[in-house]
Amino acid sequence: MGACTSIKADYLIFVKTGDRKGAGTDANVFITLIDKDGKRSRKVFLDCKWRNDFEQGRTDKFPVGDIPGLGDIEFIELSRDTKGFGDSWFCDRVWIVPNQPDVEPTEIHFPVNRWVKADATLKIQKWDCCLPQHDTAPETRKMELMEKRMYYVFDQKSPGIPVQIKELPSDEMFSNDYKWDIVRTKGILLIKSKMRRLTSDAWSSLKDLGNIYKKGTNLDIPMGMYRWKEDNYFGKQRVQGVNPVVMKLCTCIPENFKVTNEMVSPFLEGYTLDEALTNKKLFICDLTILEDVPLMGVPVEKELVSPYALFYLNKENDILPIAIQLFAKTTEDCPNPVFLPSDHKYVWMLAKMYYNNADALFHQGSTHLGFTHLIMESVAVAANRTLSMSHPLYRLIAPHFLFLIAINSRALNKLVAPGGWVDQVMTAGAGGMLAMTAKRFQNWRLDRDGTLPEELKMRELDDPAVLPYYPYRDDALPIWYCIKNYVTRIVEGHYESEKVIADDWELQEFSKMLVSPYPDGCNIKGVPGDGKFETRQQIIDTFTSFLFISSVGHAAANFAQYDEYAFPPNYPSFMRGKAPRTKDPITEEDIIKHLPHKAMTLDIMVVGRILSDRGTKALGDFEIDYIFDPVGTAAVKQFRKELKEISEENTKRNETRNPPYAYLNPIHIPNSISI
């Protein structure tokens, strides 16, 4: 048997049990080694006396002797019985090291990543990485996929939004639920901060609001509190805030945006409005998509605006707001002034706050929830329904699905449930936010909105000569191309011709499912190939987008949330009362009346802090190793090398930025959407 004794070992066998609920086993476990010529070892009982083997998340080592005459190990067979109190077993992987004279002690890896069923034999090939047309056990592979389809079923949980999973499979559950229990974590933070007794009263002043933050605690002073009044900082929110994907070059003023030369010429450093347009000095944010979004959630007087904002690039290359119109359309019976920096300071301040309130809804419903969390859940369900665990592209993308479905099913659903956090602290509530998500999904395309270089070109901000200071672009693009290089190496290593692509029925089914309407698929527009991959470039482009959205896209939208949202005047998720429709002077007291009350502010702070924490390892440092084949391991090694270089360059760039933008340093970007 494979016992932890002093016997002479022909092989050292290492077995890692998966880190998921119920993964460990008390059953008897057996292994058989098979060499490349089909010669088999005896059936080895893996057991270390006086030790509890095969515990969740643990690696066990078994010296195994009396196995003479085997050549290079090509397959293993795993089996177990039903003995013990808990006999279920999820094996993460097995690796074997020859311990014989004249044999190189090189690790031979068998990534299992499966449940080992009782009284059945699971046969795994070295590296377990091949296309379906090359698999030596195609029927077993098909049966595995058919079984997974029973658990990975599409569901659309709100009309028109990206599809999700119907019920959370046990394989997707957190190994430690408590870590992602937002309600529990929120309570702990409140106790530590000693702020549980904040009432529902209004703040007495902006200074009173600022006094709530405690240095040296998890609820310390957010970055937004320091400079929120400055127009310069308001501009920087468009290029390095939580929602840096809205602003675009302004080549003409929209018909409904009633800004004129007379209004803005004082802010254009000698240009006329037309000259500023011609010289590419103006930029616009258009959030008129929010028009007609329903108001739900907290039943108080409130109003969601659908604004335009115009920005000017000055001689110091600062982006400054020069005009804000809060509503998409102007009617005779509904005043809709264009607010300017020369207006009364509190009027201009309130106009910026209402603009940011609209921006916050777009951020949460589109940039964050809709087109990181939900769109990638659609992809994850499709991948699990069509791609075998043995498929090289599944092994490529699997680390970027870690905890995604679980965070969406367990934590996210609590936040957007009726009466949940979004209902309580966002102006439009959960219903309004999801309605906006559905509205955006109608025109969202993977090959444009989900492809960073194309998305930047669409907004005409790809050229640094046009917009010199754009930290999101400058930090995200190098990682995009790094990811693309990584994906390219793997795709080109497994698909040597277009015929190989055409013959890969799993990949073709995946492609078809991505574009098919619900309930048969994800209904994603703009997938390269439109339901049929024909070239390597189409595969590369598609998977590059998926890996980028899962890592960089989510990091950009998520990890600045505390710094942006936690001080409500800086980036208010909720505004009370009606938006200003005149330029009549107002006071600080009037500003306070529009802001969230104390208890709501605390709720925003605490959940913002929780959502800004990182739950998994940095990009390229995978929690679960899926890739062991030569093509993949070489690609991973180069990927990590390039990421390290990008990280060093990012650190240098941030030394001269004010404020710094550290959210897209690769060392701070998780592999997956895990919070």
Side-chain angles (χ1 to χ4, degrees):
M1 73 181 172
C4 301
T5 67
S6 58
I7 65 169
K8 180 184 180 301
D10 296 315
Y11 296 92
L12 301 178
I13 298 179
F14 297 83
V15 181
K16 183 176 181 182
T17 297
D19 186 15
R20 60 182 66 197
K21 277 194 169 182
T25 187
D26 294 326
N28 294 317
V29 173
F30 303 87
I31 190 171
T32 302
L33 313 186
I34 306 170
D35 71 15
K36 62 182 181 180
D37 296 321
K39 186 176 179 181
R40 304 168 62 88
S41 75
R42 61 187 176 85
K43 190 174 183 178
V44 179
F45 173 36
L46 297 177
D47 177 56
C48 276
K49 287 185 176 180
W50 318 117
R51 193 177 76 187
N52 197 1
D53 304 319
F54 310 114
E55 291 295 289
Q56 177 180 320
R58 201 173 75 186
T59 299
D60 297 297
K61 175 183 174 182
F62 303 95
V64 175
D66 192 23
I67 303 182
L70 286 182
D72 294 339
I73 306 300
E74 185 69 21
F75 294 92
I76 61 171
E77 289 181 348
L78 291 174
S79 60
R80 68 170 178 86
D81 59 23
T82 58
K83 292 184 179 179
F85 177 72
D87 64 286
S88 296
W89 183 42
F90 187 92
C91 180
D92 183 89
R93 59 188 165 107
V94 174
W95 63 101
I96 299 170
V97 181
N99 189 41
Q100 304 160 26
D102 304 321
V103 178
E104 183 71 25
T106 303
E107 294 180 354
I108 310 163
H109 287 272
F110 299 85
V112 181
N113 308 117
R114 292 167 173 86
W115 293 95
V116 180
K117 297 179 180 179
D119 300 321
T121 299
L122 178 62
K123 187 175 183 180
I124 300 292
Q125 189 170 13
K126 180 174 62 175
W127 309 325
D128 189 36
C129 183
C130 66
L131 301 178
Q133 61 265 44
H134 302 150
D135 202 312
T136 59
E139 293 306 314
T140 301
R141 183 165 174 149
K142 289 178 181 177
M143 287 177 61
E144 279 188 344
L145 272 177
M146 290 298 293
E147 185 174 343
K148 286 187 78 174
R149 286 193 173 204
M150 295 170 57
Y151 300 100
Y152 290 84
V153 179
F154 288 121
D155 187 26
Q156 193 169 56
K157 301 191 175 182
S158 183
I161 69 171
V163 295
Q164 296 177 258
I165 201 160
K166 188 171 185 179
E167 294 182 6
L168 179 65
S170 60
D171 276 2
E172 297 288 346
M173 292 182 180
F174 296 122
S175 55
N176 46 354
D177 269 350
Y178 70 90
K179 188 176 178 181
W180 280 265
D181 186 335
I182 284 182
V183 175
R184 177 182 179 276
T185 306
K186 177 181 170 184
I188 292 172
L189 272 177
L190 287 171
I191 292 170
K192 287 182 177 179
S193 66
K194 300 179 181 179
M195 296 188 209
R196 300 194 75 175
R197 296 181 180 178
L198 279 182
T199 69
S200 59
D201 296 342
W203 301 101
S204 60
S205 66
L206 292 172
K207 183 179 179 181
D208 180 33
L209 171 54
N211 289 334
I212 190 177
Y213 306 95
K214 299 182 182 296
K215 288 186 177 180
T217 72
N218 284 328
L219 300 178
D220 56 2
I221 298 174
M223 187 186 301
M225 180 174 156
Y226 291 105
R227 297 175 56 186
W228 69 277
K229 294 180 182 180
E230 300 174 17
D231 284 355
N232 177 285
Y233 188 75
F234 185 80
K236 286 187 174 180
Q237 286 180 306
R238 308 315 129 206
V239 294
Q240 65 183 89
V242 288
N243 194 30
V245 295
V246 172
M247 191 174 73
K248 60 185 178 181
L249 180 68
C250 186
T251 55
C252 65
I253 302 297
E255 182 180 351
N256 289 330
F257 191 5
K258 301 304 181 182
V259 66
T260 65
N261 180 65
E262 290 72 26
M263 291 177 184
V264 297
S265 60
F267 317 114
L268 298 181
E269 299 179 316
Y271 287 112
T272 66
L273 181 59
D274 287 341
E275 289 170 345
L277 289 168
T278 300
N279 285 277
K280 299 183 177 181
K281 302 288 285 184
L282 295 181
F283 302 84
I284 191 169
C285 292
D286 180 348
L287 291 175
T288 56
I289 188 176
L290 301 182
E291 188 179 21
D292 301 324
V293 167
L295 280 180
M296 304 177 78
V298 178
V300 298
E301 184 181 45
K302 56 186 178 179
E303 187 170 32
L304 178 69
V305 300
S306 50
Y308 293 107
L310 191 65
F311 297 81
Y312 172 69
L313 181 68
N314 71 9
K315 293 176 182 178
E316 286 74 41
N317 289 329
D318 293 325
I319 287 285
L320 299 175
I322 60 171
I324 296 173
Q325 181 178 296
L326 292 178
F327 296 92
K329 296 176 183 176
T330 303
T331 60
E332 292 183 3
D333 58 346
C334 189
N336 187 19
V338 176
F339 295 97
L340 306 170
S342 53
D343 293 338
H344 185 275
K345 70 173 184 177
Y346 287 123
V347 171
W348 178 237
M349 179 186 293
L350 190 61
K352 290 190 293 182
M353 288 166 61
Y354 266 96
Y355 172 86
N356 268 349
N357 177 241
D359 194 76
L361 182 69
F362 187 88
H363 162 250
Q364 293 292 8
S366 176
T367 309
H368 185 204
L369 172 67
F371 301 105
T372 65
H373 280 269
L374 298 187
I375 203 72
M376 285 312 302
E377 182 173 350
S378 297
V379 174
V381 176
N384 278 285
R385 287 179 62 82
T386 58
L387 299 178
S388 164
M389 181 69 71
S390 305
H391 200 292
L393 294 181
Y394 187 89
R395 293 200 169 277
L396 167 67
I397 201 170
H400 306 281
F401 291 153
L402 183 67
F403 299 148
L404 163 66
I405 295 177
I407 200 71
N408 285 1
S409 298
R410 290 292 180 85
L412 193 61
N413 285 349
K414 290 182 180 179
L415 297 180
V416 300
W421 184 75
V422 173
D423 258 359
Q424 296 298 318
V425 305
M426 297 205 73
T427 299
M433 185 182 74
L434 292 173
M436 195 278 298
T437 304
K439 195 173 183 181
R440 178 79 176 98
F441 190 39
Q442 293 175 8
N443 298 309
W444 192 91
R445 293 180 59 89
L446 184 70
D447 58 0
R448 181 189 62 202
D449 307 279
T451 300
L452 179 64
E454 297 304 315
E455 193 271 338
L456 291 169
K457 288 178 184 177
M458 174 184 67
R459 294 188 289 119
E460 299 184 71
L461 298 183
D462 53 314
D463 185 357
V466 172
L467 184 60
Y469 185 80
Y470 192 2
Y472 168 73
R473 174 199 62 206
D474 298 340
D475 291 359
L477 268 176
I479 309 175
W480 169 274
Y481 288 114
C482 176
I483 291 172
K484 186 173 184 178
N485 291 341
Y486 171 48
V487 173
T488 298
R489 292 184 185 99
I490 288 181
V491 170
E492 291 184 347
H494 289 281
Y495 294 97
E496 64 270 18
S497 69
E498 292 183 359
K499 183 179 185 307
V500 177
I501 297 172
D503 290 345
D504 183 348
W505 58 83
E506 289 180 1
L507 179 67
Q508 297 304 338
E509 184 63 21
F510 177 59
S511 178
K512 180 181 177 182
M513 195 170 288
L514 289 174
V515 304
S516 295
Y518 175 74
D520 298 320
C522 308
N523 199 28
I524 300 175
K525 302 173 187 68
V527 176
D530 196 26
K532 184 180 181 181
F533 289 130
E534 296 180 327
T535 67
R536 293 190 296 190
Q537 194 59 53
Q538 290 171 342
I539 304 169
I540 291 166
D541 291 345
T542 301
F543 278 79
T544 298
S545 289
F546 292 158
L547 268 63
F548 180 87
I549 293 169
S550 298
S551 54
V552 184
H554 181 256
N558 188 75
F559 294 115
Q561 287 188 94
Y562 184 79
D563 279 331
E564 287 287 87
Y565 282 97
F567 184 66
N570 175 64
Y571 197 69
S573 64
F574 191 95
M575 295 289 281
R576 297 178 179 275
K578 296 289 187 179
R581 292 183 181 275
T582 73
K583 297 190 175 189
D584 296 340
I586 59 175
T587 65
E588 179 179 320
E589 184 178 343
D590 294 316
I591 294 285
I592 291 291
K593 290 177 182 177
H594 287 273
L595 291 173
H597 290 170
K598 292 181 178 180
M600 184 186 291
T601 299
L602 184 57
D603 220 19
I604 294 167
M605 290 168 57
V606 171
V607 176
R609 169 55 69 200
I610 294 169
L611 296 180
S612 297
D613 287 341
R614 289 157 179 81
T616 52
K617 292 182 180 180
L619 185 60
D621 182 13
F622 306 124
E623 280 81 2
I624 300 173
D625 291 317
Y626 286 93
I627 296 175
F628 294 95
D629 67 288
V631 168
T633 52
V636 169
K637 183 178 180 180
Q638 183 63 25
F639 184 43
R640 290 169 175 167
K641 179 178 181 291
E642 292 177 13
L643 286 171
K644 183 179 179 182
E645 294 169 355
I646 291 170
S647 176
E648 292 169 354
E649 293 166 0
N650 182 282
T651 300
K652 290 178 183 177
R653 279 198 298 274
N654 274 305
E655 290 174 355
T656 57
R657 288 173 175 166
N658 184 20
Y661 183 67
Y663 307 110
L664 295 190
N665 188 316
I667 62 173
H668 299 314
I669 300 173
N671 290 297
S672 63
I673 301 169
S674 55
I675 189 64

